[in-house]
Amino acid sequence: MKIVTTAAEMQALSCRPEHRRVLVPTMGALHAGHVSLVRLARENAGAGGEVAVSIFVNPLQFEPGSDFSRYPRPETADEEVCRAEGVDLIFRPAPNEMYFDDRSTFVEETALSEQLCGRSRPGHFRGVCTVVTKLFHLLAPDAAVFGEKDFQQLAIVRRMVRDLDFPIDILAGPTVREADGLALSSRNQYLSAPERAQAPVIRTALLEAAASHEKSAEKVLVSVRKKIESASLAQIDYAEIVGADDLQPRLTIGPRSLLAVAVFFGRTRLIDNILLE
Ligand code: PAF
């Protein structure tokens, strides 16, 4: 397994790729959710192809006052996960390899980014689009894998790839969950024991909504909020029903209606979603 830490070396290695390369962009603190994305990447790359994992805690996508400095960075454990999964290449640059102090160029998607998490995290998706663009340039992958837990991010990356003509297939990996339904996230480790015990209420609320077959988005959202608020430590950031492709609010539930929620437990913000039809 090759570990590359400079942008120049990475770009040189991407110059004339001999194999299909599939990239899994991550911020590290790798867990079983990332492992499932790596396996999807391997399937897509084929035995003779190359699976690359980028590990970079991207300062640009953390809004001021958020958890950038305390975000976990377990380098050795991440390397072990990648080695065990047969990853061919890790790209793990330092922040000064990725950004000049006087940077003044950003990549911004301006429609989907306005919805859902974009409202509570101004600048977040601009940071994501900028770093993903840079990773795409530096690694020149044939395909890249993103998780469905970050549904909005996936939709925005797809839109960006379409709008900016990146010759890269975007693959979606299903959300991986704990046995009690909590979606795996590097941020779950911030939860206190009582918060962790209550956090599965998110998944329960989403499943109950999907099982209700109710067509009124308003009614579904009232039930979802009531269920989540039954957990004393939960504070809803948003609960919305949107179209899965345009992320615009829906009043009536129909094909590809997506229920998406963000919920704070203490300072930890968890997101999850479910397709209702
Ligand atoms: O989903 C993530 O971990 C990050 O947003 C990504 C795609 C690696 C960009 O920093």
Side-chain angles (χ1 to χ4, degrees):
M1 184 174 73
K2 202 168 170 54
I3 301 180
V4 177
T5 56
T6 70
E9 193 192 349
M10 194 60 254
Q11 207 153 31
L13 272 176
S14 305
C15 210
R16 250 173 261 106
E18 289 163 20
H19 313 289
R20 182 171 176 81
R21 176 179 285 168
V22 182
L23 170 65
V24 183
T26 80
M27 299 205 297
L30 303 179
H31 50 63
H34 295 109
V35 167
S36 80
L37 302 183
V38 167
R39 292 183 183 168
L40 190 60
R42 171 58 66 202
E43 237 174 72
N44 188 266
E50 198 183 41
V51 172
V53 172
S54 62
I55 298 179
F56 180 62
V57 185
N58 173 31
L60 242 53
Q61 69 188 75
F62 287 77
E63 57 280 19
S66 67
D67 58 345
F68 175 68
S69 51
R70 69 173 180 141
Y71 198 85
R73 292 162 171 85
E75 288 199 356
T76 313
D78 284 349
E79 272 175 39
E80 278 162 17
V81 170
C82 289
R83 206 163 270 118
E85 286 303 316
V87 167
D88 301 291
L89 172 86
I90 293 181
F91 177 51
R92 193 174 55 202
N96 63 358
E97 278 293 321
M98 291 297 273
Y99 296 120
F100 291 95
D101 288 342
D102 63 348
R103 64 184 174 270
S104 52
T105 308
F106 300 90
V107 180
E108 190 165 16
E109 188 286 329
T110 58
L112 308 178
S113 303
E114 295 297 306
Q115 308 301 322
L116 305 174
C117 293
R119 278 197 220 106
S120 15
R121 304 189 66 188
H124 169 70
F125 289 115
R126 182 171 89 147
V128 170
C129 287
T130 302
V131 80
V132 169
T133 296
K134 287 173 70 72
L135 292 169
F136 285 176
H137 285 316
L138 291 171
L139 283 102
D142 298 284
V145 188
F146 293 83
E148 284 175 346
K149 182 178 81 70
D150 297 300
F151 198 95
Q152 186 174 13
Q153 170 173 277
L154 173 64
I156 290 169
V157 169
R158 283 200 160 120
R159 176 69 62 92
M160 178 184 87
V161 161
R162 184 201 74 177
D163 287 352
L164 300 184
D165 305 301
F166 284 100
I168 298 173
D169 300 327
I170 301 302
L171 313 173
T175 303
V176 178
R177 299 178 181 281
E178 301 282 5
D180 59 12
L182 179 64
L184 293 194
S185 161
S186 306
R187 292 190 165 100
N188 289 353
Q189 57 190 281
Y190 301 153
L191 297 169
S192 67
E195 288 164 355
R196 172 65 189 82
Q198 292 190 9
V201 73
I202 299 175
R203 175 68 170 166
T204 310
L206 298 187
L207 286 174
E208 282 181 8
S212 74
H213 302 296
E214 170 61 56
K215 293 289 172 203
S216 153
E218 176 70 32
K219 283 190 184 156
V220 170
L221 290 174
V222 167
S223 307
V224 166
R225 290 197 184 102
K226 196 166 159 211
K227 180 74 196 179
I228 294 176
E229 281 162 358
S230 72
S232 58
L233 302 174
Q235 277 243 293
I236 298 176
D237 179 18
Y238 67 74
E240 286 188 47
I241 293 172
V242 296
D245 302 305
D246 61 6
L247 304 186
Q248 293 300 316
R250 293 282 187 273
L251 296 177
T252 307
I253 293 165
R256 292 193 56 70
S257 292
L258 182 86
L259 167 57
V261 300
V263 181
F264 280 101
F265 283 87
R267 288 165 63 204
T268 308
R269 185 172 173 281
L270 303 177
I271 58 171
D272 206 343
N273 64 78
I274 195 166
L275 268 178
L276 295 175
E277 271 192 29

